[in-house]
Amino acid sequence: AQRVVLGLPLHKNGTEAEQSNLTRAFGSYLSCAVYAEFGPNVPVYLWDERYTSKEAAARVRSRDPKATDLYGELDADAACIILEHYYADGGMRRIGDDKTERLEAEIVPVPEAMKAACEAAWEAKKVELEKAKERIMEERSTMLNAKQAAMERAKALEKQMELNGTLGLGRKKAKKKKKKKKGSGGGGNWVTL
């Protein structure tokens, strides 16, 4: 992940609502969790989500005019719309009465009180990821060594079969050839195929 975009509920006039405060508090915890999991270079942004639920409902109804239970689909479509708007505006939101002024999306900072814990969790995660990487490389090396050993055994077996004269013969032909060699007694002119 390169960034996380969190919808910020606002009143129609753009002022903050009661839900905005709850979202900001959640954003702080989310920012800490993202830092702990992905590191300090994955920011969490707040983005205006006004009218996204209405637009999502319109999209769902355009796909299925008879849709009545929109609960699950509505949230998923609204999240998609938030991201679409974020990327369409290049992470800049339009503000002002004439909507000509642009302001970057708001980054949710990791709270200072939680920063040390988030950093420690990220460092532990990096160690865990490095150990997992080493384990995978070790497994890969073990499998490669086993494959090389199997190829060496196959080459040695092929060489032994070549020396025995059984290379390229099926099992029945190889048995016949052995019988003919035993039965020849050294005196006859046997031709083996």
Side-chain angles (χ1 to χ4, degrees), residues 13-14 23 42 50 52 55 105 115 118 124 137 158 164 187 192:
N13 65 4
T23 301
V42 180
R50 285 179 289 172
T52 56
E55 188 177 338
K115 203 169 235 176
C118 294
M137 294 302 288
E158 187 177 302
N164 292 344
T192 57

Side-chain angles (χ1 to χ4, degrees), residues 165-177:
T166 57
L167 183 63
L169 300 175
R171 285 185 99 147
K172 289 182 181 180
K173 287 184 179 179
K175 285 183 180 180
K176 276 186 177 180
K177 185 173 181 177

Side-chain angles (χ1 to χ4, degrees), residues 74-95:
L74 203 59
D75 288 341
D77 276 14
C80 288
I81 292 166
I82 291 168
L83 285 176
E84 287 170 10
H85 290 178
Y86 174 83
Y87 284 114
D89 292 338
M92 305 284 284
R93 57 191 171 134
R94 299 187 181 280
I95 59 171

Side-chain angles (χ1 to χ4, degrees), residues 35-36 114-127:
Y35 188 120
M114 298 170 74
K115 203 169 235 176
C118 294
E119 178 65 30
W122 169 238
E123 291 300 323
K125 178 73 174 186
K126 285 195 306 189
V127 169

Side-chain angles (χ1 to χ4, degrees), residues 43-120:
V44 174
Y45 292 101
L46 290 175
W47 191 256
D48 183 356
E49 70 171 24
R50 285 179 289 172
Y51 304 109
T52 56
S53 294
K54 288 185 179 188
E55 188 177 338
R59 283 187 184 184
V60 170
R61 286 197 178 95
S62 71
R63 287 192 306 260
D64 182 9
K66 296 178 184 177
T68 54
D69 185 19
L70 305 178
Y71 181 71
E73 271 190 85
L74 203 59
D75 288 341
D77 276 14
C80 288
I81 292 166
I82 291 168
L83 285 176
E84 287 170 10
H85 290 178
Y86 174 83
Y87 284 114
D89 292 338
M92 305 284 284
R93 57 191 171 134
R94 299 187 181 280
I95 59 171
D97 293 334
D98 57 359
K99 301 290 184 195
T100 56
E101 197 176 340
R102 292 168 59 93
L103 182 67
E104 282 190 55
E106 181 182 341
I107 293 178
V108 180
V110 174
E112 286 300 321
M114 298 170 74
K115 203 169 235 176
C118 294
E119 178 65 30

Side-chain angles (χ1 to χ4, degrees), residues 109-180:
V110 174
E112 286 300 321
M114 298 170 74
K115 203 169 235 176
C118 294
E119 178 65 30
W122 169 238
E123 291 300 323
K125 178 73 174 186
K126 285 195 306 189
V127 169
E128 180 185 316
L129 289 171
E130 190 59 36
K131 285 181 181 178
K133 183 179 174 182
E134 288 172 6
R135 193 171 49 252
I136 289 169
M137 294 302 288
E138 191 174 301
E139 288 172 6
R140 181 187 239 173
S141 179
T142 301
M143 289 174 62
L144 182 61
N145 290 341
K147 186 176 181 179
Q148 287 174 339
M151 289 173 62
E152 290 298 323
R153 285 193 305 271
K155 283 181 183 178
L157 182 60
E158 187 177 302
K159 190 169 192 161
Q160 183 63 39
M161 289 175 73
E162 190 177 319
L163 291 173
N164 292 344
T166 57
L167 183 63
L169 300 175
R171 285 185 99 147
K172 289 182 181 180
K173 287 184 179 179
K175 285 183 180 180
K176 276 186 177 180
K177 185 173 181 177
K178 283 185 180 180
K179 281 184 180 180
K180 286 180 183 179

